[in-house]
Amino acid sequence: MESNVTMSSVQNGRNVGRRAAAGGAWLLGARLAQQGVLLIQVAVLARLLDPKAFGLVGLADLAAQAIGVLVYTGYEFALVQRPDLEEIDIHTAWWVMLGRYLVIGAGLMLLSGPISRFYRVPEATPILMAIGAIQVMQGLASPSPILLRRGMRFRRLFQLDVGSAAVGLAVGVAAALALRTVWALVLARLATTLTLIVLSYRLDPYRPRRRFSRSSFRQLSAYGRWMLGSAILAFVFWQGSNALAGAMFGVVALGIYQMAARFGLLANSLFAEVFQGALMPAYALLQGDEARVSTAFVSTLGFAAMVLVGITALIALGLPRLLIVVLGEQWAEAAALVPVVAAAGGMHAMLRTGAPLYLGTGHPRFLFLIDLVQALTMVVLLYPLGRLLGLVGLPCAILAGTLCALPVWWHGVRQATSCTLQQVSIALATPLLGAAAMVGVFSAGATARFAHAGSAAGVAWHIVLIVAAVLGYVAVIGLCQRVIPRYAPLVDLRDALRGMLGGRRPGAGLVQSP
């Protein structure tokens, strides 16, 4: 049922980093496929529905997260981090998490009226109640995603994520074509949740039992208390701007801002969770051996920085124009927000490279401190920048918060590893050189006569620039890899893809499952 961890076959930290990267390739594949399906769904529905429909569902999501963060347990991380996991721990965690979703659902339904009146959108009341019911259903799912991640069985996670997203896409598009109302988004969410529940029990043998241990509850909660603090601060950091966008500029502006975030935060949503899911079990396996942890961290940091910086630069430079082409002119304001949102999301994802290290080695307080600095800085700047700059001021406040948290990130890395500032600087600065090359390609391409044309030729030239920018980025990374000792992110990427495509179970030898 649960995964048993062994150190018997660990050879060195760098090997752990590469094995974790191979597992991360499966997680990344799952996230890419899942997000790809969701973005197709959004692109189709954005053509059929107006920004207000997305704003209404976004308001319901915001309210659900506000309630959920107050009863957050952090058990999904505690179950992965514990060296020895017993069956009673899993049963206890299931009942606690079920109770959490019951609270979220009931709270959302009870507060639907007051929330609708506060935002002056009475039509939001039934939407809030429906999303509340879906939250209750979500609590019935098996904890199999946690167990699969603990056992580094990422291929099954791929099936779970992609299967539920695909069903949501089919139902959402069909409902939008038939209804042309906000309820198409609600039905898509319902279909995704029901599919997730079914698959969660089919992909793992775990079945809930009427068993609960107070001792297990106390032990899991002792780890999770830091995660509760981080969850509250992360909610303030990310959703504070959403709440202010709706309060200051209206529910339509909320829909526009959330659409910009949906695309601008792709680097953060795709890779931050992937690296955390793949690396936390590996760091948990190596905890107590600082040398191996340090080697693994340096290796994976170089790999993560290469991916995050490249994707962030590509989104900021290449996506806004394509977004207008795909979604239509009604979303032009959202497209204009994407570069700043992408910069904030990419910087936050870089800070999140420390999360699996802190959580896996038993230092969750550093994740809490990072979130605290980010949230406090953002709260101070959010309203004045919103007043001064409009919607674009909100992601600017988020970006400022991430920059202020960098010293805390480095302090946590120093506490958990023996990495040097030179090693970390090389891992972070080299991708920035590649990003500068991407900016150069776009700047040079913008001088072409038809570069800004709205015709098919202008769009085609934009796509050519995107391809050229990616090639330039890879060329710079490859050159740096040849001249900088022990810097090999492209080699790690190759090994990760080979581990995935070669059919080997990622992490084999590190994690044994019954």
Side-chain angles (χ1 to χ4, degrees):
M1 180 184 302
E2 66 275 8
S3 302
N4 298 317
V5 179
T6 177
M7 287 287 290
S8 61
S9 56
V10 177
Q11 296 177 357
N12 55 65
R14 186 171 182 81
N15 188 45
V16 169
R18 289 182 175 178
R19 288 174 181 266
W26 272 108
L27 281 180
L28 178 57
R31 293 296 291 171
L32 285 172
Q34 182 187 42
Q35 288 295 317
V37 170
L38 292 176
L39 292 180
I40 292 172
Q41 175 182 310
V42 169
V44 174
L45 297 182
R47 285 282 185 177
L48 300 173
L49 306 174
D50 59 19
K52 187 174 183 179
F54 286 88
L56 289 172
V57 173
L59 181 61
D61 288 337
L62 178 63
Q65 292 177 39
I67 299 170
V69 76
L70 298 177
V71 289
Y72 183 68
T73 63
Y75 279 16
E76 63 269 33
F77 299 104
L79 291 175
V80 172
Q81 190 272 339
R82 294 192 69 175
D84 300 308
L85 189 64
E86 298 180 2
E87 186 175 345
I88 187 62
D89 298 324
I90 305 173
H91 294 315
T92 301
W94 188 86
W95 285 106
V96 172
M97 291 188 287
L98 172 61
R100 175 176 180 263
Y101 280 106
L102 288 173
V103 171
I104 296 172
L108 200 57
M109 288 185 277
L110 290 173
L111 295 174
S112 58
I115 293 171
S116 299
R117 289 191 292 272
F118 177 80
Y119 282 95
R120 297 182 294 279
V121 279
E123 60 268 39
T125 299
I127 305 299
L128 288 160
M129 296 187 71
I131 297 297
I134 293 174
Q135 288 287 326
V136 173
M137 296 178 192
Q138 191 171 339
L140 298 174
S142 163
S144 61
I146 304 173
L147 303 178
L148 294 173
R149 182 170 287 111
R150 174 182 171 87
M152 302 181 83
R153 291 175 284 175
F154 300 117
R155 190 178 302 182
R156 291 191 177 185
L157 281 174
F158 181 98
Q159 298 170 351
L160 185 70
D161 293 339
V162 177
S164 58
V167 173
L169 168 64
V171 172
V173 172
L177 290 171
L179 303 176
R180 301 296 179 103
T181 69
V182 65
W183 287 101
L185 297 173
V186 177
L187 290 174
R189 186 74 57 83
L190 175 62
T192 300
T193 300
L194 292 176
T195 306
L196 181 65
I197 293 172
V198 173
L199 291 180
S200 70
Y201 287 102
R202 289 183 61 89
L203 295 177
D204 190 87
Y206 172 79
R207 297 294 182 270
R209 299 288 186 271
R210 295 176 59 183
R211 298 178 60 192
F212 187 91
S213 168
R214 292 183 180 180
S215 174
S216 178
F217 173 76
R218 286 193 296 269
Q219 293 175 12
L220 292 171
S221 299
Y223 183 93
R225 71 178 185 273
W226 289 106
M227 302 309 301
L228 171 61
S230 290
I232 294 173
L233 293 171
F235 172 81
V236 172
F237 182 68
W238 285 116
Q239 303 305 328
S241 59
N242 285 320
L244 194 61
M248 290 179 64
F249 306 109
V251 70
V252 174
L254 175 61
I256 290 172
Y257 184 72
Q258 289 188 328
M259 184 64 73
R262 189 184 300 273
F263 288 90
L265 296 178
L266 278 175
N268 185 72
S269 59
L270 283 174
F271 298 103
E273 182 179 334
V274 167
F275 289 130
Q276 181 163 302
L279 295 176
M280 184 187 168
Y283 288 130
L285 181 62
L286 293 175
Q287 60 183 312
D289 192 330
E290 186 176 285
R292 287 173 173 165
V293 169
S294 301
T295 303
F297 180 73
V298 170
S299 174
T300 53
L301 179 63
F303 177 79
M306 177 189 69
V307 173
L308 291 173
V309 173
I311 296 297
T312 299
L314 192 62
I315 291 171
L317 294 169
L319 187 58
R321 184 171 181 179
L322 296 180
L323 203 59
I324 297 176
V325 173
V326 173
L327 301 184
E329 290 292 339
Q330 63 176 334
W331 296 101
E333 190 175 355
L337 293 173
V338 165
V340 183
V341 174
M347 190 66 227
H348 181 266
M350 282 302 308
L351 290 177
R352 239 47 191 177
T353 57
L357 175 68
Y358 308 145
L359 298 177
T361 57
H363 296 89
R365 67 184 182 279
F366 289 112
L367 184 58
F368 171 82
L369 292 174
I370 288 174
D371 290 333
L372 178 63
V373 172
Q374 289 184 127
L376 290 177
T377 305
M378 188 273 295
V379 166
V380 170
L381 297 177
L382 196 60
Y383 184 79
L385 289 180
R387 281 296 183 193
L388 180 65
L389 303 175
L391 273 179
V392 75
L394 306 185
C396 287
I398 293 175
L399 179 59
T402 60
L403 292 174
C404 290
L406 266 176
V408 183
W409 174 87
W410 169 240
H411 180 62
V413 170
R414 288 287 294 167
Q415 291 294 312
T417 73
S418 57
C419 297
T420 65
L421 182 60
Q422 181 183 15
Q423 290 174 312
V424 172
S425 298
I426 289 173
L428 298 180
T430 304
L432 294 177
L433 293 176
M438 297 178 74
V439 173
V441 169
F442 270 90
S443 299
T447 61
R449 179 173 55 86
F450 50 83
H452 300 286
S455 63
V459 175
W461 177 247
H462 189 71
I463 294 174
V464 169
L465 288 181
I466 291 175
V467 174
V470 172
L471 293 176
Y473 183 77
V474 173
V476 170
I477 297 295
L479 178 62
C480 293
Q481 184 173 270
R482 294 178 69 88
V483 300
I484 300 176
R486 294 182 296 279
Y487 178 73
L490 291 176
V491 174
D492 289 336
L493 177 60
R494 180 199 65 193
D495 291 347
L497 294 176
R498 284 180 176 176
M500 177 182 176
L501 299 177
R504 300 191 305 271
R505 180 170 62 86
L510 291 178
V511 178
Q512 297 176 352
S513 302

